[in-house]
Coordinates of all heavy atoms in Angstrom, one line a residue:
M256 N -55.4 -49.5 -40.0 CA -54.2 -49.1 -40.7 C -54.6 -48.2 -41.9 O -55.4 -48.7 -42.7 CB -53.4 -50.3 -41.1 CG -52.1 -50.0 -41.8 SD -50.9 -51.2 -41.9 CE -51.3 -52.2 -43.2
T257 N -54.0 -47.1 -42.1 CA -54.3 -46.2 -43.3 C -53.5 -46.9 -44.4 O -52.5 -47.6 -44.2 CB -53.8 -44.8 -43.0 OG1 -52.4 -44.8 -42.8 CG2 -54.5 -44.1 -41.9
R258 N -54.0 -46.6 -45.7 CA -53.2 -47.1 -46.8 C -51.8 -46.6 -46.8 O -50.9 -47.3 -47.3 CB -54.0 -46.9 -48.1 CG -54.2 -45.4 -48.5 CD -55.0 -45.3 -49.7 NE -55.1 -44.0 -50.2 CZ -55.6 -43.7 -51.4 NH1 -56.1 -44.5 -52.2 NH2 -55.6 -42.4 -51.7
H259 N -51.6 -45.3 -46.4 CA -50.3 -44.8 -46.5 C -49.3 -45.3 -45.4 O -48.2 -44.8 -45.3 CB -50.3 -43.3 -46.6 CG -50.9 -42.6 -45.5 ND1 -52.2 -42.1 -45.5 CD2 -50.5 -42.3 -44.2 CE1 -52.5 -41.6 -44.4 NE2 -51.5 -41.6 -43.5
S260 N -49.9 -46.2 -44.4 CA -48.9 -46.8 -43.6 C -48.8 -48.3 -43.9 O -48.1 -49.1 -43.2 CB -49.4 -46.7 -42.1 OG -50.7 -47.0 -42.0
N261 N -49.3 -48.7 -45.1 CA -49.2 -50.1 -45.6 C -47.9 -50.2 -46.5 O -47.9 -49.5 -47.6 CB -50.4 -50.4 -46.2 CG -50.4 -51.8 -46.9 OD1 -49.2 -52.4 -47.1 ND2 -51.4 -52.3 -47.4
P262 N -46.9 -50.8 -46.2 CA -45.7 -50.8 -47.0 C -45.9 -51.2 -48.4 O -45.2 -50.6 -49.3 CB -44.7 -51.8 -46.2 CG -45.2 -52.0 -44.9 CD -46.7 -51.6 -45.0
E263 N -46.8 -52.2 -48.6 CA -47.0 -52.6 -50.0 C -47.7 -51.5 -50.8 O -47.4 -51.2 -52.0 CB -47.9 -53.8 -50.0 CG -47.2 -55.1 -49.9 CD -48.1 -56.3 -49.7 OE1 -49.2 -56.3 -50.2 OE2 -47.7 -57.2 -48.9
W264 N -48.7 -50.8 -50.2 CA -49.3 -49.7 -50.9 C -48.3 -48.6 -51.2 O -48.3 -48.0 -52.3 CB -50.5 -49.2 -50.1 CG -51.4 -48.2 -50.8 CD1 -52.4 -48.5 -51.6 CD2 -51.2 -46.8 -50.8 NE1 -52.9 -47.3 -52.2 CE2 -52.2 -46.2 -51.7 CE3 -50.3 -45.9 -50.2 CZ2 -52.4 -44.9 -51.9 CZ3 -50.5 -44.5 -50.4 CH2 -51.5 -44.0 -51.3
I265 N -47.5 -48.3 -50.2 CA -46.5 -47.2 -50.3 C -45.6 -47.6 -51.5 O -45.4 -46.7 -52.4 CB -45.7 -47.0 -49.1 CG1 -46.5 -46.4 -47.9 CG2 -44.5 -46.2 -49.2 CD1 -45.9 -46.4 -46.6
A266 N -45.1 -48.8 -51.5 CA -44.1 -49.2 -52.6 C -44.8 -49.0 -54.0 O -44.2 -48.6 -55.0 CB -43.6 -50.6 -52.4
A267 N -46.1 -49.3 -54.0 CA -46.8 -49.3 -55.3 C -47.2 -47.9 -55.7 O -47.6 -47.6 -56.8 CB -48.1 -50.1 -55.2
N268 N -47.0 -46.9 -54.7 CA -47.4 -45.5 -55.0 C -46.3 -44.6 -55.0 O -46.4 -43.4 -54.7 CB -48.5 -45.1 -54.1 CG -49.9 -45.7 -54.5 OD1 -50.5 -45.0 -55.4 ND2 -50.2 -46.8 -54.0
R269 N -45.0 -45.1 -55.2 CA -43.9 -44.2 -55.2 C -43.7 -43.7 -56.6 O -43.8 -44.4 -57.6 CB -42.6 -45.0 -54.8 CG -42.5 -45.1 -53.3 CD -41.1 -45.1 -52.8 NE -41.2 -45.1 -51.3 CZ -41.0 -46.2 -50.5 NH1 -40.9 -47.3 -51.1 NH2 -41.1 -46.1 -49.3
V270 N -43.5 -42.4 -56.7 CA -43.2 -41.7 -57.9 C -41.8 -42.2 -58.4 O -40.9 -42.3 -57.6 CB -43.2 -40.2 -57.7 CG1 -42.6 -39.4 -58.8 CG2 -44.7 -39.7 -57.4
Q271 N -41.6 -42.5 -59.6 CA -40.4 -43.0 -60.2 C -39.8 -42.0 -61.2 O -40.5 -41.4 -61.9 CB -40.5 -44.4 -60.8 CG -41.1 -45.5 -60.0 CD -40.3 -45.7 -58.7 OE1 -39.1 -45.5 -58.7 NE2 -41.0 -46.3 -57.7
L272 N -38.4 -42.0 -61.1 CA -37.7 -41.1 -62.1 C -36.8 -41.8 -63.0 O -36.1 -42.8 -62.6 CB -36.9 -40.1 -61.2 CG -35.9 -39.1 -61.9 CD1 -36.7 -38.1 -62.7 CD2 -35.0 -38.5 -60.9

Side-chain angles (χ1 to χ4, degrees):
M256 179 160 86
T257 58
R258 60 182 188 170
H259 60 261
S260 51
N261 173 347
E263 274 170 35
W264 189 86
I265 289 173
N268 280 278
R269 282 212 172 97
V270 164
Q271 303 297 339
L272 175 67

